[in-house]
Amino acid sequence: MCQRRVSFGLLTMLLVLAVAGGSVRPVSSQNTVAGAPAAAIRVTPPAPVFDARARVAELAARRARVANEIGKQSLLVLFSGEPRVYTNDVDYEFRQENNLYYLTGLAQQRATLVLVPGHATTREILFIPRRNPAAETWTGHMYSPQEAQAISGIGEVWEASEFEPFMRAIRMRRAYRPKDESVLLSSVTQPAPTPTPAPGVTISAAQITGPAAPQNAGGYETLFNAMAQKSGTLYLLIPGGEGESREFRQEQAFASRWAQSSSGLTVRDAWPIFTEMRLRKSPSELQLLQHAVDITIEALGRAMAVAGRSKWEYEVEAEVDYTFKRRHADNWGYPSIVGCGPNATTLHYVESEGAVGQNDLLLMDVGAEYGHYTADVTRTFPVGGKFTAAQADIYNAVLAAQEASMAVARPGKTFADVNRASVEVIKDALLRLGLITDRNSFQYGRWFMHGTSHWLGMNVHDVGAVNTPFEPGMVFTIEPGIYIRPDALDNLPKTEENRKFAEAVRPAFEKYKGIGVRIEDDVVITADGHRNLSVALPRTLADVESFMARATRELRADNRREN
């Protein structure tokens, strides 16, 4: 029940080979005996290994790009994520705020990054808690300043408690440097400037609007001159929308306090900068994403193999959870969706409490997170191993729609193009199957009610505008679906038009009701098209049936050997 902190060794997992272990026998093709067929279930390949210097250099380059974007008359403040309460004195497992992690690779609570591009020597400062052996007895390892520097490449590390005095000094346009014992790590050898007044001292308006570049500016002349001219900027992550943010409450509160001050700094939102940067994935990011997808592929493969002998959805989900842990995933990127039969027609069904029927389809939408990047893959398959004719009708319609969307996923296209391709195929299929009467209306939306794609990366619904033209390095999902909810016709608004519609499609509805199908893959745009990151997982009807037969046999053989 102790609050978990990730150790330095785990935090540098990006630099170390994650060795796969466990007791289930299926192996990947590279591990099979020469001449023997590859196993059906694809075991996750080894985790990517990064050169430590290259990794630190990439983080430094990201910070340099952000510094260039905000300019020398500004500063940026990024806060660590906040603990989330599970109940009473128990927190959820901590996960670092994405953008702070994107610039530092640091996963510890109470870390704060400040970028001051216009400073003469100290352009980036990291604030972290001082190590406390007594606290570590209870909550685990904390970063030493040397460890924080090794991971992030930031050489100026101050104790976390110095952040507020530092910002008070900035507000007064006075340089601030802590006493030596609070500077945990530094390459700066200059003498400390005149310190800011102690906490609680009242600062007069005259002091705030003092000389443009005081003698104790200590390298902050560019910033302080801008503040004196009311042209300085403080960048924060400020979420859009009204009301209190679910994730960025401390940023909102901090921005509110500064907006009410007369500091000469205008608060601006840093989101556009990070959105632009994170939308295009670097080679190292793509490796992390691919590994998250690979773990997810193995998890889905194992789940498909055990579904036929399972009685409850949660038993199948347990295979996913087991594989995620076994392959050293950080966690899931979102709660797994495991819906059998009619439960597959609920888009975000997460209860996993339903029975698993041998004659039903099972829809599984799952994604492992690795190195702060998440996969998002969906497969729908027959529990008993064979599609019925009705199930095959719906499945092939969705597959054809996905193939049509895949065909237009290339540079210059947008989500609207991808979605339109799926919609046109699905409208034709629904008309042919008798589930709509007019392909030129929105009738299809009763059975396909969501968009086909969303950006993917550090969030399962990652940053980026929906109308952004595709460029190489952008990663997103392609996930059409058809969902024939058993109560769909009963819940239509009571209009004459809907009465006629329900009457016309009732025979087809009775044939297909309770069937839900979604097929989802993760793709990255390349210079000449796209690459399907989840291509190793079977998609066609024939391949799914063949895979389930082989995987089930392999699992039974494994059990015999182990028993």
Side-chain angles (χ1 to χ4, degrees), residues 257-277:
R257 292 198 301 271
W258 274 81
Q260 295 169 12
S261 71
S262 301
S263 64
L265 286 174
T266 301
V267 177
R268 290 189 62 180
D269 185 10
W271 271 111
I273 297 172
F274 287 99
T275 296
E276 178 69 15
M277 291 177 64

Side-chain angles (χ1 to χ4, degrees), residues 340-342 344 357-362 380-399 433 482 484 511-519 541 544-545 548:
C340 192
Q358 286 296 310
N359 297 320
D360 288 332
L361 293 180
L362 184 59
T380 308
F381 55 91
V383 173
K386 291 288 185 181
F387 289 90
T388 66
Q391 291 168 351
D393 285 344
I394 302 298
Y395 189 91
N396 282 328
V398 174
L399 179 63
L433 297 176
I482 295 176
I484 316 299
K511 178 179 179 180
Y512 297 113
K513 72 177 180 180
I515 295 176
V517 174
R518 181 164 64 251
I519 308 171
L541 185 148
V544 168
E545 289 184 341
M548 292 192 67

